[in-house]
Amino acid sequence: MIDKRRTVRQFTDEDVPFESVNRVMEAGMKAPTWDHNRNWQFVVLRSREEKERAFKYAKGVVARFDERRYEGRNLNLSQEMYVYAMRYQYTMLVECPWVVVPLFRCNRLNAEWVSKLNPFADAWCVVENMLLAATNEGLGCSLRIPLNKEHDVVREALGVPGGWMIPCFVGIGHPDPAEALPRQYSADVKGHLHFGCWKGEGFQTSLETRW
């Protein structure tokens, strides 16, 4: 199933029953939780009006993006993906049947130590479960991480109380089969392995030699 998952930015008009979306959120609730309490909440957006109100900041980001700046340039894969994805940052949320906004309990992020990010880390475990569950339902997901003050703009628009934070917005729907698939980096783990310790970029020994 994990090999079928990909980010979707264009959806068909086919509706999705709430039962499918509910199973996606149930899968999220089965993620590991740092405090054992599963302190997660979900705001579910269904109507176009709800989505437009929530994502007006993303609409402005897209409006300010000038794709022409990248024309004729020799772009690497990251830049290609950025240019491709930017044009859909608003429509991939307002034009899909459902948007789920996960929330985790946290007043502010404190990155002094990695362990201080435990609530943030397990929120992303929730999201990954949701992405895989949606794939299992034959659905696709868009994903946007709030940019700068967008977090607070959306939180206010959704009436989220203090003490809760938003890791991302997840659009759910049927992928448009006509959507172009941008070039991808290889997901092969070879070249990313370091046995025993880090010994330089891309260092590895064969499994046969190591074990």
Side-chain angles (χ1 to χ4, degrees), residues 131-149:
L131 300 181
L132 294 176
T135 304
N136 190 55
E137 294 280 337
L139 303 170
C141 294
S142 60
L143 184 71
R144 176 171 171 80
I145 299 171
L147 177 66
N148 302 329
K149 67 178 182 179

Side-chain angles (χ1 to χ4, degrees), residues 48-60:
R48 176 87 183 205
E49 180 182 3
E50 291 171 339
K51 298 168 199 167
E52 289 179 347
R53 182 174 67 249
F55 303 121
K56 58 185 178 182
Y57 189 97
K59 185 177 183 179

Side-chain angles (χ1 to χ4, degrees), residues 89-100:
Q89 292 302 295
Y90 177 68
T91 57
M92 71 182 187
L93 294 172
V94 300
E95 293 182 358
C96 61
W98 301 90
V99 175
V100 176

Side-chain angles (χ1 to χ4, degrees), residues 57-66 86-91:
Y57 189 97
K59 185 177 183 179
V61 169
V62 175
R64 291 189 296 273
F65 178 69
D66 186 0
M86 278 301 298
R87 68 185 73 138
Y88 297 113
Q89 292 302 295
Y90 177 68
T91 57

